[in-house]
Amino acid sequence: MSRAIQIVRHGGPEELHLVDVSGNVGEPGPGQIRIRHKAIGLNFIDVYQRTGLYQLPLPATLGMEASGIVEAVGPGVMHLKPGDRAAYASNPPGSYSEVRVMPATTVCRLPDAIDFDTGAAMMLKGLTAQYLLKKTLPQGGLKPGDFVLFHAAAGGVGLIASQWAKAMGLQLIGTAGSDAKCALARDNGAMHVINYAKEDFLARVKEITGGKGVKVVYDSIGKDTWDKSLDCLQPFGLMASFGNASGPVPPFAPGILAVKGSLYVTRQTLFTHIASREGCQAMADDLFAAVTSGKVKIRIGQRYPLEQVQQAHRDLEARKTTGCTILTL
Ligand SMILES: NC(=O)c1ccc[n+]([C@@H]2O[C@H](COP(=O)([O-])OP(=O)(O)OC[C@H]3O[C@@H](n4cnc5c(N)ncnc54)[C@H](OP(=O)(O)O)[C@@H]3O)[C@@H](O)[C@H]2O)c1
């Protein structure tokens, strides 16, 4: 038996079904590999794909992050061979499975010093923190001492970004939905924390920055934080939108950006950044160096057996998780 988690229609966590895909996995074609997973990463994008906020051709096996051992490589794959330890963040979905065939482009050899659970937890979230802090920058870049605002700082991407920002000398102001989560973000490098469930984060950002505001807001919350996040920015500041945990950002008139101080807005996705093999590997090398040097520690807050994926989704959506979450096999 070879297990996978599939949806046949978009909807709630109850739509996640354990199925047997034995006999359907097949051999890798040109540019593909077959990988046997050791652990699987859970991400908020899996929720968007399950609900249909991001539509998928159905039926679909969900999941965009995992680690494992390469079993077979197709023609043209030069950077991997059977037996390699590997990990990836990848389109198309399909990582909620014991074994799969997939494009090799974003699959990277995992350094020996990084275990499989860590590898599964860190690729999508860590590469996202990498491109946000290193490549999604305001005019003139970011320098040590600069203030940035990072929402959901105790989450999967958030805890990695908090540590990495500290290592870069940035003053990361992290928001989170409880005092316990704020304490966790602070322990992981956030210089200042705001419990946005009970504090006005705009007022607190102004207070922390002496009225100046921040150079960048990294906003994955979307609908609930958009307006106030814009007001947290300095003139010429950058609104880096990268998610919609509370719902998509409603349409807005560009003129608002002039009124609020000639602001910049971008909506980023990891999948543009890792579209080329060279680009993906360069980012992964930076991430691997950050993790193996101890600058960034990957905190796995929760583990669920693959068959309990419905509960994992419920907990992620209910804001009960912290740090990274993996599905175990
Ligand atoms: N564009 C990209 O390239 C990219 C890549 C990776 C991730 N992302 C985005 O980054 C975000 C973080 O991803 P993640 O996988 O690490 O998840 P996560 O941060 O571990 O979980 C999401 C967090 O968002 C906060 N949140 C605020 N309002 C929420 C709501 N209405 N419902 C649910 N959660 C809410 C919660 O933290 P509090 O309780 O502390 O508010 C929750 O724990 C997601 O929005 C994801 O889509 C984007």
Side-chain angles (χ1 to χ4, degrees):
M1 171 154 176
S2 179
R3 299 174 305 156
I5 301 290
Q6 287 189 347
I7 57 169
V8 292
R9 60 178 179 214
H10 293 296
E14 69 283 357
E15 298 297 341
L16 297 161
H17 299 294
L18 187 68
V19 295
D20 182 5
V21 293
S22 309
N24 294 335
V25 178
E27 294 300 318
Q32 295 183 324
I33 61 155
R34 189 171 69 237
I35 182 165
R36 185 161 294 273
H37 293 143
K38 290 284 193 181
I40 298 159
L42 186 78
N43 290 281
F44 219 90
I45 192 171
D46 308 345
V47 172
Y48 308 144
Q49 293 181 334
R50 193 205 70 222
T51 61
L53 177 65
Y54 299 172
Q55 294 277 318
L56 292 178
L58 299 174
T61 301
L62 294 189
M64 309 194 83
E65 186 182 42
S67 64
I69 295 186
V70 177
E71 275 191 350
V73 304
V77 176
M78 308 305 286
H79 68 288
L80 294 167
K81 59 181 189 322
D84 280 349
R85 303 169 75 252
Y88 66 86
S90 173
N91 249 334
S95 71
Y96 287 7
S97 56
E98 289 180 323
V99 59
R100 73 182 289 200
V101 168
M102 63 180 296
T105 309
T106 63
V107 182
C108 298
R109 287 184 59 192
L110 192 61
D112 290 342
I114 300 178
D115 62 52
F116 285 116
D117 283 4
T118 304
M122 68 185 240
M123 293 301 281
L124 198 150
K125 293 168 274 286
L127 292 173
T128 299
Q130 201 276 351
Y131 86 72
L132 289 173
L133 293 172
K134 305 275 184 92
K135 298 167 74 181
T136 309
L137 303 175
Q139 293 247 312
L142 285 173
K143 295 184 294 300
D146 283 344
F147 284 105
V148 301
L149 177 62
F150 206 105
H151 288 307
V157 178
L159 282 188
I160 297 173
S162 296
Q163 296 173 67
W164 215 332
K166 183 179 182 192
M168 292 166 64
L170 301 174
Q171 300 210 55
L172 182 142
I173 305 171
T175 59
S178 71
D179 290 342
K181 286 185 177 183
C182 283
L184 186 62
R186 191 192 294 279
D187 289 347
N188 281 271
M191 290 280 170
H192 307 272
V193 287
I194 303 171
N195 177 347
Y196 54 7
K198 62 179 190 190
E199 296 178 286
D200 176 350
F201 74 81
L202 170 58
R204 290 276 290 118
V205 164
K206 292 286 169 164
E207 189 184 300
I208 292 164
T209 60
K212 281 173 58 181
V214 298
K215 284 198 167 172
V216 190
V217 179
Y218 295 107
D219 190 333
S220 63
I221 308 298
K223 180 172 68 65
D224 287 357
T225 47
W226 176 259
D227 287 331
K228 277 192 181 178
S229 290
L230 288 179
D231 288 328
C232 289
L233 286 164
Q234 298 176 9
F236 306 109
L238 173 65
M239 176 67 168
S241 171
F242 70 105
N244 357 256
S246 68
V249 175
F252 67 95
I256 196 78
L257 304 175
V259 175
K260 291 181 185 291
S262 302
L263 303 179
Y264 293 80
V265 172
T266 182
R267 175 59 168 90
Q268 294 280 309
T269 173
L270 171 65
F271 301 106
T272 319
H273 290 272
I274 60 173
S276 78
R277 165 98 279 280
E278 299 71 25
C280 179
Q281 190 64 53
M283 289 169 64
D285 288 345
D286 194 26
L287 174 63
F288 292 149
V291 170
T292 53
S293 69
K295 246 191 302 192
V296 171
K297 295 191 173 58
I298 304 300
R299 183 180 186 280
I300 300 175
Q302 307 67 219
R303 289 177 160 82
Y304 302 82
L306 180 67
E307 56 274 19
Q308 287 175 22
V309 65
Q310 292 188 357
Q311 192 57 44
H313 272 232
R314 284 192 191 97
D315 290 349
L316 183 61
E317 284 179 278
R319 307 164 77 158
K320 289 184 179 164
T321 64
T322 54
C324 301
T325 302
I326 60 166
L327 303 173
T328 56
L329 292 166

